[in-house]
Amino acid sequence: MARWVGGSAAGPQVRAFIDLDEPVGLLMIGVVHHLGDDDDPAAVVAGYRDALAGGSYLFLSHYLDRGAATAELEETLLAHRGTGRFRSRAETSAYFGGLASVPPGLSYAAMWRGRRCSQAASTPASVWSPAGSAARRRASHPG
């Protein structure tokens, strides 16, 4: 999938199925952390994000680098699966570019269901995979 994702969001393969002139919801769940640094994940996400029409949403999840707490896990994923990069909160936030954050913003999965992290089950996703959603605002129409 990473190779196809690197294609053009505005290309004919995408436009044959999705009308990017209309608002859409772009779900990048479990995708971006499988792109290595050589794949330039920021450019891949930007290519899709920037093609979104006003009123569209981007929802993205990513493994969160928590230093020593996740270093061994990342090393294991890379050694045995070849993918599974952990990136900082700042790197993950940057994928949303200039889109308007949707509450609760870039937060752990449990926060999206209205629970505090301390109330959430201690699952890998609740500990090291935050997700966020942002919207491209519709263009203002002169009234």
PDB file of all heavy atoms in Angstrom, residues 89-122:
ATOM      1  N   ARG A  89       5.456  13.452  18.849  1.00  0.00           N
ATOM      2  CA  ARG A  89       4.164  14.139  18.792  1.00  0.00           C
ATOM      3  C   ARG A  89       4.246  15.316  17.810  1.00  0.00           C
ATOM      4  O   ARG A  89       3.312  15.554  17.048  1.00  0.00           O
ATOM      5  CB  ARG A  89       3.767  14.626  20.188  1.00  0.00           C
ATOM      6  CG  ARG A  89       2.459  15.383  20.216  1.00  0.00           C
ATOM      7  CD  ARG A  89       2.007  15.663  21.634  1.00  0.00           C
ATOM      8  NE  ARG A  89       1.545  14.463  22.299  1.00  0.00           N
ATOM      9  CZ  ARG A  89       0.339  13.934  22.141  1.00  0.00           C
ATOM     10  NH1 ARG A  89      -0.519  14.502  21.333  1.00  0.00           N
ATOM     11  NH2 ARG A  89      -0.006  12.841  22.780  1.00  0.00           N
ATOM     12  N   ALA A  90       5.364  16.023  17.803  1.00  0.00           N
ATOM     13  CA  ALA A  90       5.521  17.158  16.888  1.00  0.00           C
ATOM     14  C   ALA A  90       5.505  16.688  15.433  1.00  0.00           C
ATOM     15  O   ALA A  90       4.871  17.327  14.578  1.00  0.00           O
ATOM     16  CB  ALA A  90       6.818  17.910  17.194  1.00  0.00           C
ATOM     17  N   GLU A  91       6.188  15.581  15.131  1.00  0.00           N
ATOM     18  CA  GLU A  91       6.183  15.054  13.764  1.00  0.00           C
ATOM     19  C   GLU A  91       4.778  14.647  13.345  1.00  0.00           C
ATOM     20  O   GLU A  91       4.343  14.926  12.227  1.00  0.00           O
ATOM     21  CB  GLU A  91       7.118  13.850  13.648  1.00  0.00           C
ATOM     22  CG  GLU A  91       8.585  14.183  13.700  1.00  0.00           C
ATOM     23  CD  GLU A  91       9.444  12.937  13.745  1.00  0.00           C
ATOM     24  OE1 GLU A  91       9.362  12.185  14.734  1.00  0.00           O
ATOM     25  OE2 GLU A  91      10.190  12.708  12.766  1.00  0.00           O
ATOM     26  N   THR A  92       4.070  13.976  14.244  1.00  0.00           N
ATOM     27  CA  THR A  92       2.714  13.514  13.941  1.00  0.00           C
ATOM     28  C   THR A  92       1.769  14.701  13.770  1.00  0.00           C
ATOM     29  O   THR A  92       0.966  14.742  12.841  1.00  0.00           O
ATOM     30  CB  THR A  92       2.208  12.556  15.031  1.00  0.00           C
ATOM     31  OG1 THR A  92       3.136  11.463  15.151  1.00  0.00           O
ATOM     32  CG2 THR A  92       0.839  12.001  14.701  1.00  0.00           C
ATOM     33  N   SER A  93       1.873  15.688  14.634  1.00  0.00           N
ATOM     34  CA  SER A  93       1.028  16.887  14.523  1.00  0.00           C
ATOM     35  C   SER A  93       1.250  17.604  13.203  1.00  0.00           C
ATOM     36  O   SER A  93       0.306  18.139  12.609  1.00  0.00           O
ATOM     37  CB  SER A  93       1.318  17.846  15.681  1.00  0.00           C
ATOM     38  OG  SER A  93       0.908  17.288  16.898  1.00  0.00           O
ATOM     39  N   ALA A  94       2.497  17.617  12.734  1.00  0.00           N
ATOM     40  CA  ALA A  94       2.825  18.317  11.489  1.00  0.00           C
ATOM     41  C   ALA A  94       2.112  17.718  10.282  1.00  0.00           C
ATOM     42  O   ALA A  94       1.881  18.421   9.291  1.00  0.00           O
ATOM     43  CB  ALA A  94       4.337  18.307  11.269  1.00  0.00           C
ATOM     44  N   TYR A  95       1.722  16.452  10.336  1.00  0.00           N
ATOM     45  CA  TYR A  95       1.020  15.835   9.216  1.00  0.00           C
ATOM     46  C   TYR A  95      -0.309  16.534   8.926  1.00  0.00           C
ATOM     47  O   TYR A  95      -0.817  16.473   7.816  1.00  0.00           O
ATOM     48  CB  TYR A  95       0.759  14.347   9.458  1.00  0.00           C
ATOM     49  CG  TYR A  95       2.001  13.499   9.514  1.00  0.00           C
ATOM     50  CD1 TYR A  95       2.147  12.533  10.488  1.00  0.00           C
ATOM     51  CD2 TYR A  95       3.028  13.650   8.591  1.00  0.00           C
ATOM     52  CE1 TYR A  95       3.285  11.737  10.538  1.00  0.00           C
ATOM     53  CE2 TYR A  95       4.170  12.867   8.644  1.00  0.00           C
ATOM     54  CZ  TYR A  95       4.288  11.911   9.620  1.00  0.00           C
ATOM     55  OH  TYR A  95       5.409  11.135   9.674  1.00  0.00           O
ATOM     56  N   PHE A  96      -0.888  17.190   9.932  1.00  0.00           N
ATOM     57  CA  PHE A  96      -2.166  17.861   9.752  1.00  0.00           C
ATOM     58  C   PHE A  96      -2.016  19.236   9.094  1.00  0.00           C
ATOM     59  O   PHE A  96      -3.012  19.848   8.716  1.00  0.00           O
ATOM     60  CB  PHE A  96      -2.897  17.983  11.089  1.00  0.00           C
ATOM     61  CG  PHE A  96      -3.312  16.648  11.643  1.00  0.00           C
ATOM     62  CD1 PHE A  96      -2.558  16.015  12.619  1.00  0.00           C
ATOM     63  CD2 PHE A  96      -4.434  15.995  11.166  1.00  0.00           C
ATOM     64  CE1 PHE A  96      -2.926  14.775  13.113  1.00  0.00           C
ATOM     65  CE2 PHE A  96      -4.820  14.757  11.652  1.00  0.00           C
ATOM     66  CZ  PHE A  96      -4.054  14.148  12.632  1.00  0.00           C
ATOM     67  N   GLY A  97      -0.785  19.703   8.949  1.00  0.00           N
ATOM     68  CA  GLY A  97      -0.542  20.974   8.273  1.00  0.00           C
ATOM     69  C   GLY A  97      -1.386  22.085   8.848  1.00  0.00           C
ATOM     70  O   GLY A  97      -1.498  22.235  10.050  1.00  0.00           O
ATOM     71  N   GLY A  98      -2.024  22.867   7.996  1.00  0.00           N
ATOM     72  CA  GLY A  98      -2.819  24.001   8.430  1.00  0.00           C
ATOM     73  C   GLY A  98      -4.284  23.685   8.659  1.00  0.00           C
ATOM     74  O   GLY A  98      -5.095  24.598   8.761  1.00  0.00           O
ATOM     75  N   LEU A  99      -4.637  22.400   8.735  1.00  0.00           N
ATOM     76  CA  LEU A  99      -6.040  22.055   8.957  1.00  0.00           C
ATOM     77  C   LEU A  99      -6.460  22.404  10.382  1.00  0.00           C
ATOM     78  O   LEU A  99      -5.648  22.398  11.298  1.00  0.00           O
ATOM     79  CB  LEU A  99      -6.280  20.563   8.707  1.00  0.00           C
ATOM     80  CG  LEU A  99      -5.952  20.035   7.313  1.00  0.00           C
ATOM     81  CD1 LEU A  99      -6.315  18.562   7.213  1.00  0.00           C
ATOM     82  CD2 LEU A  99      -6.662  20.826   6.235  1.00  0.00           C
ATOM     83  N   ALA A 100      -7.730  22.683  10.578  1.00  0.00           N
ATOM     84  CA  ALA A 100      -8.275  23.025  11.899  1.00  0.00           C
ATOM     85  C   ALA A 100      -8.487  21.757  12.711  1.00  0.00           C
ATOM     86  O   ALA A 100      -9.222  20.855  12.289  1.00  0.00           O
ATOM     87  CB  ALA A 100      -9.595  23.767  11.728  1.00  0.00           C
ATOM     88  N   SER A 101      -7.875  21.684  13.867  1.00  0.00           N
ATOM     89  CA  SER A 101      -7.989  20.512  14.735  1.00  0.00           C
ATOM     90  C   SER A 101      -9.434  20.317  15.193  1.00  0.00           C
ATOM     91  O   SER A 101     -10.152  21.275  15.462  1.00  0.00           O
ATOM     92  CB  SER A 101      -7.084  20.690  15.956  1.00  0.00           C
ATOM     93  OG  SER A 101      -7.165  19.570  16.802  1.00  0.00           O
ATOM     94  N   VAL A 102      -9.838  19.052  15.270  1.00  0.00           N
ATOM     95  CA  VAL A 102     -11.164  18.697  15.769  1.00  0.00           C
ATOM     96  C   VAL A 102     -10.974  18.091  17.165  1.00  0.00           C
ATOM     97  O   VAL A 102     -10.170  17.181  17.335  1.00  0.00           O
ATOM     98  CB  VAL A 102     -11.845  17.667  14.828  1.00  0.00           C
ATOM     99  CG1 VAL A 102     -13.145  17.177  15.418  1.00  0.00           C
ATOM    100  CG2 VAL A 102     -12.053  18.279  13.444  1.00  0.00           C
ATOM    101  N   PRO A 103     -11.680  18.594  18.186  1.00  0.00           N
ATOM    102  CA  PRO A 103     -11.506  18.068  19.537  1.00  0.00           C
ATOM    103  C   PRO A 103     -11.757  16.562  19.596  1.00  0.00           C
ATOM    104  O   PRO A 103     -12.655  16.083  18.907  1.00  0.00           O
ATOM    105  CB  PRO A 103     -12.570  18.818  20.360  1.00  0.00           C
ATOM    106  CG  PRO A 103     -12.808  20.079  19.579  1.00  0.00           C
ATOM    107  CD  PRO A 103     -12.637  19.693  18.133  1.00  0.00           C
ATOM    108  N   PRO A 104     -10.985  15.805  20.339  1.00  0.00           N
ATOM    109  CA  PRO A 104      -9.992  16.262  21.314  1.00  0.00           C
ATOM    110  C   PRO A 104      -8.592  16.467  20.737  1.00  0.00           C
ATOM    111  O   PRO A 104      -7.611  16.477  21.467  1.00  0.00           O
ATOM    112  CB  PRO A 104      -9.990  15.143  22.340  1.00  0.00           C
ATOM    113  CG  PRO A 104     -10.235  13.912  21.533  1.00  0.00           C
ATOM    114  CD  PRO A 104     -11.182  14.345  20.435  1.00  0.00           C
ATOM    115  N   GLY A 105      -8.454  16.659  19.455  1.00  0.00           N
ATOM    116  CA  GLY A 105      -7.134  16.886  18.864  1.00  0.00           C
ATOM    117  C   GLY A 105      -6.322  15.604  18.813  1.00  0.00           C
ATOM    118  O   GLY A 105      -6.870  14.504  18.836  1.00  0.00           O
ATOM    119  N   LEU A 106      -5.007  15.738  18.762  1.00  0.00           N
ATOM    120  CA  LEU A 106      -4.128  14.574  18.717  1.00  0.00           C
ATOM    121  C   LEU A 106      -4.074  13.977  20.119  1.00  0.00           C
ATOM    122  O   LEU A 106      -3.435  14.514  21.018  1.00  0.00           O
ATOM    123  CB  LEU A 106      -2.726  14.967  18.242  1.00  0.00           C
ATOM    124  CG  LEU A 106      -1.730  13.823  18.071  1.00  0.00           C
ATOM    125  CD1 LEU A 106      -2.222  12.816  17.036  1.00  0.00           C
ATOM    126  CD2 LEU A 106      -0.366  14.368  17.669  1.00  0.00           C
ATOM    127  N   SER A 107      -4.811  12.901  20.311  1.00  0.00           N
ATOM    128  CA  SER A 107      -4.988  12.293  21.629  1.00  0.00           C
ATOM    129  C   SER A 107      -4.980  10.779  21.513  1.00  0.00           C
ATOM    130  O   SER A 107      -5.181  10.235  20.432  1.00  0.00           O
ATOM    131  CB  SER A 107      -6.335  12.712  22.232  1.00  0.00           C
ATOM    132  OG  SER A 107      -6.440  14.101  22.306  1.00  0.00           O
ATOM    133  N   TYR A 108      -4.806  10.129  22.643  1.00  0.00           N
ATOM    134  CA  TYR A 108      -4.849   8.666  22.660  1.00  0.00           C
ATOM    135  C   TYR A 108      -6.258   8.190  22.334  1.00  0.00           C
ATOM    136  O   TYR A 108      -7.243   8.888  22.565  1.00  0.00           O
ATOM    137  CB  TYR A 108      -4.380   8.135  24.006  1.00  0.00           C
ATOM    138  CG  TYR A 108      -2.916   8.430  24.227  1.00  0.00           C
ATOM    139  CD1 TYR A 108      -2.514   9.457  25.059  1.00  0.00           C
ATOM    140  CD2 TYR A 108      -1.941   7.701  23.550  1.00  0.00           C
ATOM    141  CE1 TYR A 108      -1.170   9.748  25.229  1.00  0.00           C
ATOM    142  CE2 TYR A 108      -0.600   7.993  23.715  1.00  0.00           C
ATOM    143  CZ  TYR A 108      -0.218   9.013  24.550  1.00  0.00           C
ATOM    144  OH  TYR A 108       1.105   9.300  24.711  1.00  0.00           O
ATOM    145  N   ALA A 109      -6.352   6.997  21.802  1.00  0.00           N
ATOM    146  CA  ALA A 109      -7.621   6.451  21.319  1.00  0.00           C
ATOM    147  C   ALA A 109      -8.740   6.545  22.348  1.00  0.00           C
ATOM    148  O   ALA A 109      -9.874   6.872  22.004  1.00  0.00           O
ATOM    149  CB  ALA A 109      -7.418   4.998  20.868  1.00  0.00           C
ATOM    150  N   ALA A 110      -8.448   6.278  23.603  1.00  0.00           N
ATOM    151  CA  ALA A 110      -9.482   6.305  24.635  1.00  0.00           C
ATOM    152  C   ALA A 110     -10.107   7.688  24.784  1.00  0.00           C
ATOM    153  O   ALA A 110     -11.282   7.815  25.111  1.00  0.00           O
ATOM    154  CB  ALA A 110      -8.895   5.853  25.968  1.00  0.00           C
ATOM    155  N   MET A 111      -9.345   8.735  24.524  1.00  0.00           N
ATOM    156  CA  MET A 111      -9.865  10.094  24.654  1.00  0.00           C
ATOM    157  C   MET A 111     -10.940  10.370  23.600  1.00  0.00           C
ATOM    158  O   MET A 111     -11.805  11.221  23.802  1.00  0.00           O
ATOM    159  CB  MET A 111      -8.738  11.115  24.509  1.00  0.00           C
ATOM    160  CG  MET A 111      -7.651  10.992  25.567  1.00  0.00           C
ATOM    161  SD  MET A 111      -8.232  11.429  27.205  1.00  0.00           S
ATOM    162  CE  MET A 111      -8.271  13.195  27.037  1.00  0.00           C
ATOM    163  N   TRP A 112     -10.899   9.671  22.481  1.00  0.00           N
ATOM    164  CA  TRP A 112     -11.886   9.873  21.434  1.00  0.00           C
ATOM    165  C   TRP A 112     -13.237   9.293  21.825  1.00  0.00           C
ATOM    166  O   TRP A 112     -14.245   9.592  21.206  1.00  0.00           O
ATOM    167  CB  TRP A 112     -11.398   9.273  20.109  1.00  0.00           C
ATOM    168  CG  TRP A 112     -10.433  10.201  19.466  1.00  0.00           C
ATOM    169  CD1 TRP A 112      -9.092  10.279  19.687  1.00  0.00           C
ATOM    170  CD2 TRP A 112     -10.740  11.237  18.556  1.00  0.00           C
ATOM    171  NE1 TRP A 112      -8.550  11.292  18.966  1.00  0.00           N
ATOM    172  CE2 TRP A 112      -9.537  11.903  18.246  1.00  0.00           C
ATOM    173  CE3 TRP A 112     -11.908  11.667  17.953  1.00  0.00           C
ATOM    174  CZ2 TRP A 112      -9.478  12.969  17.373  1.00  0.00           C
ATOM    175  CZ3 TRP A 112     -11.846  12.726  17.068  1.00  0.00           C
ATOM    176  CH2 TRP A 112     -10.647  13.372  16.789  1.00  0.00           C
ATOM    177  N   ARG A 113     -13.256   8.466  22.840  1.00  0.00           N
ATOM    178  CA  ARG A 113     -14.519   7.905  23.319  1.00  0.00           C
ATOM    179  C   ARG A 113     -14.974   8.611  24.590  1.00  0.00           C
ATOM    180  O   ARG A 113     -15.824   8.112  25.304  1.00  0.00           O
ATOM    181  CB  ARG A 113     -14.352   6.407  23.568  1.00  0.00           C
ATOM    182  CG  ARG A 113     -14.156   5.629  22.282  1.00  0.00           C
ATOM    183  CD  ARG A 113     -14.158   4.140  22.558  1.00  0.00           C
ATOM    184  NE  ARG A 113     -13.094   3.773  23.467  1.00  0.00           N
ATOM    185  CZ  ARG A 113     -11.993   3.115  23.111  1.00  0.00           C
ATOM    186  NH1 ARG A 113     -11.827   2.736  21.879  1.00  0.00           N
ATOM    187  NH2 ARG A 113     -11.076   2.825  23.996  1.00  0.00           N
ATOM    188  N   GLY A 114     -14.360   9.750  24.905  1.00  0.00           N
ATOM    189  CA  GLY A 114     -14.783  10.534  26.058  1.00  0.00           C
ATOM    190  C   GLY A 114     -14.271  10.026  27.389  1.00  0.00           C
ATOM    191  O   GLY A 114     -14.780  10.418  28.426  1.00  0.00           O
ATOM    192  N   ARG A 115     -13.283   9.160  27.387  1.00  0.00           N
ATOM    193  CA  ARG A 115     -12.719   8.670  28.641  1.00  0.00           C
ATOM    194  C   ARG A 115     -11.330   9.258  28.833  1.00  0.00           C
ATOM    195  O   ARG A 115     -10.635   9.548  27.886  1.00  0.00           O
ATOM    196  CB  ARG A 115     -12.601   7.144  28.634  1.00  0.00           C
ATOM    197  CG  ARG A 115     -13.947   6.456  28.642  1.00  0.00           C
ATOM    198  CD  ARG A 115     -13.755   5.000  28.883  1.00  0.00           C
ATOM    199  NE  ARG A 115     -13.697   4.355  27.566  1.00  0.00           N
ATOM    200  CZ  ARG A 115     -13.233   3.149  27.354  1.00  0.00           C
ATOM    201  NH1 ARG A 115     -12.740   2.442  28.333  1.00  0.00           N
ATOM    202  NH2 ARG A 115     -13.230   2.623  26.155  1.00  0.00           N
ATOM    203  N   ARG A 116     -10.939   9.383  30.067  1.00  0.00           N
ATOM    204  CA  ARG A 116      -9.574   9.807  30.359  1.00  0.00           C
ATOM    205  C   ARG A 116      -8.651   8.620  30.155  1.00  0.00           C
ATOM    206  O   ARG A 116      -9.053   7.475  30.317  1.00  0.00           O
ATOM    207  CB  ARG A 116      -9.449  10.287  31.795  1.00  0.00           C
ATOM    208  CG  ARG A 116     -10.272  11.508  32.092  1.00  0.00           C
ATOM    209  CD  ARG A 116     -10.158  11.824  33.559  1.00  0.00           C
ATOM    210  NE  ARG A 116     -11.127  12.820  33.908  1.00  0.00           N
ATOM    211  CZ  ARG A 116     -10.816  13.958  34.484  1.00  0.00           C
ATOM    212  NH1 ARG A 116      -9.567  14.219  34.782  1.00  0.00           N
ATOM    213  NH2 ARG A 116     -11.748  14.825  34.764  1.00  0.00           N
ATOM    214  N   CYS A 117      -7.400   8.913  29.827  1.00  0.00           N
ATOM    215  CA  CYS A 117      -6.441   7.825  29.610  1.00  0.00           C
ATOM    216  C   CYS A 117      -6.317   6.941  30.840  1.00  0.00           C
ATOM    217  O   CYS A 117      -6.167   5.737  30.734  1.00  0.00           O
ATOM    218  CB  CYS A 117      -5.071   8.373  29.225  1.00  0.00           C
ATOM    219  SG  CYS A 117      -5.044   8.981  27.528  1.00  0.00           S
ATOM    220  N   SER A 118      -6.409   7.515  32.032  1.00  0.00           N
ATOM    221  CA  SER A 118      -6.284   6.715  33.249  1.00  0.00           C
ATOM    222  C   SER A 118      -7.465   5.756  33.418  1.00  0.00           C
ATOM    223  O   SER A 118      -7.357   4.748  34.100  1.00  0.00           O
ATOM    224  CB  SER A 118      -6.175   7.619  34.479  1.00  0.00           C
ATOM    225  OG  SER A 118      -7.346   8.406  34.601  1.00  0.00           O
ATOM    226  N   GLN A 119      -8.592   6.071  32.767  1.00  0.00           N
ATOM    227  CA  GLN A 119      -9.758   5.202  32.849  1.00  0.00           C
ATOM    228  C   GLN A 119      -9.751   4.138  31.759  1.00  0.00           C
ATOM    229  O   GLN A 119     -10.505   3.190  31.820  1.00  0.00           O
ATOM    230  CB  GLN A 119     -11.036   6.020  32.698  1.00  0.00           C
ATOM    231  CG  GLN A 119     -11.264   7.006  33.812  1.00  0.00           C
ATOM    232  CD  GLN A 119     -12.430   7.918  33.485  1.00  0.00           C
ATOM    233  OE1 GLN A 119     -12.591   8.359  32.349  1.00  0.00           O
ATOM    234  NE2 GLN A 119     -13.250   8.202  34.485  1.00  0.00           N
ATOM    235  N   ALA A 120      -8.900   4.307  30.768  1.00  0.00           N
ATOM    236  CA  ALA A 120      -8.880   3.401  29.619  1.00  0.00           C
ATOM    237  C   ALA A 120      -8.162   2.106  29.968  1.00  0.00           C
ATOM    238  O   ALA A 120      -7.297   2.065  30.828  1.00  0.00           O
ATOM    239  CB  ALA A 120      -8.179   4.063  28.443  1.00  0.00           C
ATOM    240  N   ALA A 121      -8.538   1.059  29.278  1.00  0.00           N
ATOM    241  CA  ALA A 121      -7.831  -0.201  29.418  1.00  0.00           C
ATOM    242  C   ALA A 121      -6.398   0.003  28.945  1.00  0.00           C
ATOM    243  O   ALA A 121      -6.131   0.777  28.045  1.00  0.00           O
ATOM    244  CB  ALA A 121      -8.512  -1.276  28.573  1.00  0.00           C
ATOM    245  N   SER A 122      -5.475  -0.685  29.572  1.00  0.00           N
ATOM    246  CA  SER A 122      -4.067  -0.534  29.211  1.00  0.00           C
ATOM    247  C   SER A 122      -3.744  -1.411  28.008  1.00  0.00           C
ATOM    248  O   SER A 122      -3.143  -2.467  28.120  1.00  0.00           O
ATOM    249  CB  SER A 122      -3.179  -0.901  30.399  1.00  0.00           C
ATOM    250  OG  SER A 122      -1.834  -0.673  30.061  1.00  0.00           O
TER     251      SER A 122
END
